[in-house]
Amino acid sequence: MNNREQWGSRIGFILAASGSAVGLGNIWKYPHMAGENGGAAFTVIYLICILIVGLPIVIAEFVIGRKTQLSPVGAFKALAPNTNWKFVGVLGVCAAFVILSFYGVVGGWTLRYTMLSLFGGFVKFSGNPELAGGQFKSFISNPINPVFWQIIFMTLTTMVIVKGVKGGIEKWAKIMMPAILVILGVLMFRGLTLPNGTKALEFLFLPKFEDLTASSIVLALGHAFFTLSLGMGTMITYGSYLSRDQNLLTSALWVILLDTVIAIMAGVAIFATVFALGANPDSGPGLIFVALPTIFPQIAGGTLWGALFFFLLFMAALTSAISILEVITAYFIDEKDWSREKATVTFGSFVTIVGIFCSMSMGGFNDFNTIFNISFFDFLDYLSSKYMLPIGGMLTALFILMKWGVDDFIRELVTGMENKNIDPFVVKVLFIISALVVGFIISNEIIAIITGNPIVG
Ligand code: TRP
């Protein structure tokens, strides 16, 4: 396709791809998972997973996208015509619908908490986690209030994607990614200069391996996937807007570096604040929406720090949400010949409506919860992060090993690289390890569901 849009610059592509990677996973999930799983020991395992499993699959997705210049379904069709491999792409598009439905809800929460802090709403939470927790619960289970913020968040997401690759995604990534780094740098400095703040460094960087359990290893692996936006063709789609002159290996390393650095900076900023005020590092998913609002009012300028923190979280969520909507949009443009406007507006609205049910499932809308014993929100979260993404990632690795072939893969990979000596054996081993590791996580989950006891965890 000759009129396909392209990224305007290499840095634009790297920022867009890392914008996709950097999201709620880095700033909300990683810190609370590290907090609950032994701090530094978890971080070490997470870094190993990122390098061994994450890096090969990021590269695989970039290479498939650039080679075919198509979004996932078309890409698998082009490389393996008349086979079932196209269903890996279809699975990805379905995962995009599922993830964006609940991601948009949490995106709305970040906007609401930015406003709440800005207008002094955290002051009464000072040192009172019960009150902060109660308010958070009553906010997310309100049938109207969170939906209002979710609609704003989804409208912003749709507005960026309507503008296309260069004028929308790239332009906003170039503004928001540097802003995220600067704000996080400031928050980290603020945290570390609080009394006891440097305890955070010890907590995150001095591993005590006795704290590590088998289940935290499985968690770290799963998270490596989610945080790098792997397994549903996001990186295939972003790679499809590249021309052939780029070194994909160094681009992938940049994306991974930025993603990891931002997760760790968020961890330092959050734990420094937590330790300075003697709060608990292992308060779980509520760490951000419950523990932090009780802490901010106790530090000088807390209203502003709180608002900055939640605005940062909002920007990180937005650059990720746009990458998810782009997967859906690109599918309808490439495969169904829709216009960008029509695809974006149709599916932006559709996902918003499904998201409303998700938001309502936190309290307002209970039928699903009683039938399946899990809220619709949690159901979509588990379905995507425990099954759809890992399965998609594993199949991508298997696709290269079994169908496309490592040699053809390497031929495309080295296009744009100066050093063209890549050992096919190493590449094979890496993909086999990724596929096995991910296959193990999925089987573990399935065994846990069937027998009630996972092998590990
Ligand atoms: N990586 C993002 C985060 O850390 C979330 C995300 C965006 C994502 N696009 C994705 C996850 C695609 C899986 C697949 O929050």
Side-chain angles (χ1 to χ4, degrees):
M1 218 182 275
N2 338 337
N3 58 355
R4 192 176 188 75
E5 261 200 276
Q6 301 264 310
W7 302 108
S9 62
R10 173 153 200 238
I11 178 96
F13 162 65
I14 292 175
L15 289 177
S18 39
S20 168
V22 171
L24 298 166
N26 304 62
I27 300 171
W28 170 56
K29 265 185 157 173
Y30 162 73
H32 85 70
M33 287 168 114
E36 291 171 306
N37 291 283
F42 181 82
T43 304
V44 172
I45 300 295
Y46 164 75
L47 292 178
I48 296 175
C49 295
I50 294 272
L51 277 180
I52 295 185
V53 182
L55 182 63
I57 299 189
V58 176
I59 296 175
E61 290 204 9
F62 282 169
V63 169
I64 292 174
R66 185 179 71 176
K67 168 79 190 169
T68 58
Q69 302 280 300
L70 287 167
S71 55
V73 178
F76 284 102
K77 271 199 215 160
L79 292 174
N82 304 320
T83 64
N84 285 328
W85 285 103
K86 64 172 177 289
F87 290 108
V88 182
V90 174
L91 180 72
V93 178
C94 296
F97 276 105
V98 171
I99 297 182
L100 193 53
S101 302
F102 70 84
Y103 211 85
V105 174
V106 184
W109 299 351
T110 66
L111 269 178
R112 151 79 185 175
Y113 268 63
T114 306
M115 295 301 164
L116 193 63
S117 181
L118 199 59
F119 293 104
F122 289 173
V123 173
K124 61 177 181 300
F125 298 153
S126 182
N128 189 344
E130 279 79 45
L131 186 63
Q135 278 243 342
F136 177 60
K137 271 224 176 80
S138 85
F139 163 64
I140 63 174
S141 59
N142 184 297
I144 302 194
N145 201 347
V147 170
F148 168 78
W149 294 103
Q150 178 219 350
I151 291 176
I152 297 186
F153 182 85
M154 287 302 302
T155 306
L156 293 172
T157 306
T158 308
M159 281 163 56
V160 174
I161 292 301
V162 166
K163 296 276 181 207
V165 177
K166 216 197 290 182
I169 306 175
E170 181 170 350
K171 176 175 157 203
W172 285 100
K174 276 178 158 166
I175 297 173
M176 290 195 278
M177 288 307 288
I180 288 173
L181 272 167
V182 170
I183 297 182
L184 207 48
V186 172
L187 285 168
M188 193 171 81
F189 181 75
R190 168 74 274 211
L192 288 174
T193 48
L194 292 170
N196 278 329
T198 47
K199 272 199 190 155
L201 298 178
E202 206 176 296
F203 180 71
L204 281 172
F205 298 117
L206 268 187
K208 291 197 284 301
F209 284 100
E210 64 275 17
D211 291 343
L212 203 65
T213 59
S215 82
S216 31
I217 301 178
V218 176
L219 268 182
L221 267 167
H223 186 60
F225 256 80
F226 187 84
T227 190
L228 292 173
S229 305
L230 296 180
M232 55 161 256
T234 314
M235 297 302 179
I236 296 183
T237 309
Y238 276 17
S240 75
Y241 305 124
L242 279 173
S243 54
R244 292 240 142 68
D245 51 7
Q246 251 199 53
N247 183 330
L248 290 181
L249 181 64
T250 49
S251 298
L253 283 169
W254 268 111
V255 171
I256 287 188
L257 181 76
L258 279 169
D259 185 73
T260 308
V261 165
I262 290 181
I264 290 182
M265 284 172 76
V268 173
I270 292 169
F271 287 117
T273 318
V274 165
F275 284 121
L277 290 129
N280 251 337
D282 57 356
S283 45
L287 183 66
I288 280 196
F289 290 102
V290 178
L292 286 183
T294 67
I295 297 174
F296 282 123
Q298 302 177 47
I299 54 183
T303 297
L304 185 66
W305 296 121
L308 265 182
F309 178 83
F310 281 101
F311 188 63
L312 159 83
L313 194 59
F314 155 71
M315 286 193 294
L318 185 60
T319 51
S320 297
I322 60 179
S323 75
I324 308 178
L325 185 56
E326 180 62 16
V327 171
I328 302 174
T329 302
Y331 168 76
F332 283 91
I333 295 177
D334 289 347
E335 300 301 308
K336 308 277 172 209
D337 275 329
W338 285 31
S339 70
R340 175 168 284 276
E341 291 72 22
K342 179 176 163 196
T344 314
V345 174
T346 309
F347 294 105
S349 316
F350 178 81
V351 170
T352 308
I353 293 169
V354 179
I356 292 176
F357 285 99
C358 252
S359 180
M360 304 259 240
S361 77
M362 306 254 125
F365 150 81
N366 266 322
D367 289 356
F368 189 92
N369 309 11
T370 24
I371 301 173
F372 294 100
N373 220 348
I374 177 174
S375 74
F376 187 49
F377 182 103
D378 289 338
F379 171 73
L380 296 187
D381 182 8
Y382 289 155
L383 179 68
S384 54
S385 25
K386 291 201 166 169
Y387 302 99
M388 298 174 100
L389 298 179
I391 290 176
M394 180 179 73
L395 290 174
T396 306
L398 291 177
F399 173 74
I400 290 175
L401 287 168
M402 294 164 48
K403 179 70 196 171
W404 193 21
V406 168
D407 294 334
D408 284 342
F409 164 80
I410 293 179
R411 204 163 304 133
E412 175 67 26
L413 171 63
V414 296
T415 311
M417 281 170 62
E418 265 164 37
N419 174 0
K420 298 198 190 289
N421 296 321
I422 295 210
D423 185 349
F425 178 73
V426 176
V427 174
K428 260 187 207 146
V429 169
L430 282 173
F431 281 128
I432 291 173
I433 294 178
S434 317
L436 282 179
V437 162
V438 184
F440 174 76
I441 309 179
I442 304 165
S443 331
N444 194 51
E445 271 312 315
I446 294 175
I447 290 173
I449 289 194
I450 298 174
T451 66
N453 278 315
I455 311 172
V456 166

